[in-house]
Amino acid sequence: TAADCTRPGTGGPLPLAALVKENLELHGIHIPVPDNYDMPAFGAVEENARLHLQAVRLGDILLASCACEAQVDLIRNLETRTDKEQGNIWDGFDWTDRDCTENADGTWNCTLSPGNTITSIPGASIDHMRDQVHRDALGWDDPLYAPFANSEDPTDIKGNFTKQELSPSLGYKLTVGLGHTGDYNGYTVSYREFMARDHYRKALTSYGPHTADYMVTRLVRMAAALNGGPAYDPFTDEPLGAVAEADEARQASLAVVAGRIASAAYDGYELTLADDVDAGVAVAQPASIERFGAATFRWNGGDTWVDNPVVRVERRKGKAWETFADQTGEVPTMVKAPEGLEGFAAARTGSYRWEWAASFEAFDPAPARIGQTPDGLYRFVVEGRTRRGGLTVPYSVASEPFRVSRWTGLTTTPTVDAAGSVNVPVAVTYPRSYAGSPFPFVDGGGTDEICARCSFRPWARRGELQSVTVTVVRASGATEMVAALRTGDRFVAATALAAGDRAYVEAGDAVDAWGETNGTRLEAVR
């Protein structure tokens, strides 16, 4: 319900999927289970008892990271507590600021969405919600407050955040709240969100209901220290600093022990691998391609336990080969894995050929700044690892050269207007994909429908003609070449065609801004 002010609701019985406890209480059966519970996720989500917070100052800019999946309340509270303005602290979302109205009898109506309004919410429930949002959380971590921790009593409740903020002299012109940075502290919801109901974001708020305030308050102290304020030492200034430091040593020692055990197991398993068959031998050479196509190279490599080939595409410049593309998104690879028990047995006994494939697309890009794949001579170069003579050794193999040339698939329909001039549309449509890819993620169906798996790189979808030359064959047999001039969205050639004359754009005579052209003659249609 709106703002969780009334639970389990004002309507009829809860659906079967509702929480068991709420369903039982709705039917008058009360069980002695707290309305809210929480416990740290240490050992389940977290590797140790430390919260890895980070703050970086760049002049008047603060970069502060909770290393968590921060919710809006955390980030806005951080921004307003570290800026130069005073008294503008964001406590959290308060429904009464926007979607609730108070009735004359002291009850409230709250609207969740158009047509979904909950009426007659008790004023005490609204006050409770406001306390959860706005009450100062100062002192929630005081040992003397432990008996009242998570208390929802109006006299003891601690709200979303403490009110500590930076003074104007220590504040920043811009604060940027960062999420996952160097570590993962789970979800981090505010106190109100944590106490309102049980949900998975709460379950991943690993250090309890005041995790968000703990993080922001410490980040505020770190921000102050970076900008000339009081020094802050996470070990000496925190009551549990020594415990966290000791636990960090425990976790590091555990990681070393686990790493050594895993390393020994890894090395031991590798000794059982059979030698690979024909590693470093080419299986299928790449064919020359036009832009908006792809070249593929296949070779025998090593077992996937030891081999993850590094593949690059080189371009010939003069007498030397220079790297043109690599596996940072331009050269995907794949391997044909063994299937079933027969494949597993072949791999373990050394009779399986690990066939790898790499692909390279040539295209005109979108956006244009990425750069066109230029004409030229290219080749694949592979460096990998294989099992040979009971050892893991390197191998390398290079493909035969293949050529990339301009696309000749440009097609359009020249038309003849009433004046006998030939009109050619400026717009050019490029292919969305290509056929024959070994990668199942590429849809080479050749349709014009939008697909999410057309290519690995960002191909241009449309372009414009740059020049058009029209060939005219007069009824007398005389031939003329007429350059078309751009007029708006078309090229127009003043050919003055008469009866018996015909015109066409010869192959190669329509050229777009990328240098692509038509590979076939385009006849003008009257």
Side-chain angles (χ1 to χ4, degrees), residues 1-213:
T1 62
D4 275 319
C5 292
T6 62
R7 302 183 70 209
T10 56
L14 288 174
L16 293 177
L19 297 175
V20 173
K21 178 178 182 294
E22 293 182 348
N23 205 6
L24 290 174
E25 290 182 347
L26 183 65
H27 291 84
I29 303 172
H30 298 280
I31 57 177
V33 175
D35 288 335
N36 185 283
Y37 62 91
D38 66 85
M39 63 181 296
F42 171 59
V45 176
E46 306 305 317
E47 294 181 346
N48 60 25
R50 296 188 65 189
L51 280 172
H52 293 168
L53 308 177
Q54 302 171 63
V56 176
R57 173 178 170 250
L58 301 175
D60 286 330
I61 300 174
L62 173 67
L63 306 179
S65 171
C66 63
C68 67
E69 293 187 62
Q71 307 299 288
V72 170
D73 285 349
L74 186 156
I75 297 299
R76 294 188 67 177
N77 182 260
L78 170 68
E79 292 172 343
T80 53
R81 289 171 65 180
T82 56
D83 62 13
K84 292 180 175 294
E85 185 177 347
Q86 298 293 287
N88 65 328
I89 295 178
W90 169 263
D91 293 329
F93 181 75
D94 182 342
W95 280 83
T96 59
D97 289 341
R98 195 176 70 180
D99 297 314
C100 293
T101 56
E102 186 176 8
N103 303 314
D105 61 358
T107 63
W108 290 71
N109 298 340
C110 289
T111 301
L112 261 183
S113 58
N116 184 13
T117 299
I118 301 172
T119 61
S120 301
I121 300 173
S125 296
I126 293 293
D127 292 339
H128 182 202
M129 180 269 293
R130 283 174 162 174
D131 285 342
Q132 286 182 320
V133 174
H134 297 295
R135 287 284 292 273
D136 194 339
L138 182 66
W140 68 262
D141 53 353
D142 189 324
L144 296 177
Y145 184 70
F148 314 102
N150 296 3
S151 173
E152 293 290 87
D153 187 284
T155 60
D156 298 319
I157 192 170
K158 300 293 185 182
N160 275 345
F161 299 99
T162 61
K163 306 298 185 179
Q164 175 190 6
E165 63 179 326
L166 297 184
S167 64
S169 62
L170 298 179
Y172 293 80
K173 291 183 178 179
L174 174 65
T175 294
V176 180
L178 305 176
H180 311 226
T181 308
D183 198 359
Y184 179 62
N185 289 322
Y187 269 100
T188 308
V189 299
S190 60
Y191 177 82
R192 160 68 190 161
E193 183 73 10
F194 191 100
M195 301 299 287
R197 61 196 179 282
D198 293 327
H199 51 98
Y200 88 101
R201 291 186 179 89
K202 166 187 173 177
L204 289 177
T205 300
S206 306
Y207 298 95
H210 290 288
T211 302
D213 182 61

Side-chain angles (χ1 to χ4, degrees), residues 351-394:
S351 59
Y352 185 79
R353 283 178 168 80
W354 293 89
E355 184 179 304
W356 293 80
S359 180
F360 171 69
E361 296 176 353
F363 59 97
D364 297 331
R369 59 181 171 78
I370 293 175
Q372 178 193 59
T373 308
D375 295 358
L377 209 58
Y378 296 79
R379 70 175 183 181
F380 290 89
V381 177
V382 180
E383 295 176 353
R385 301 200 310 163
T386 182
R387 295 291 291 177
R388 184 178 301 147
L391 300 174
T392 299
V393 298

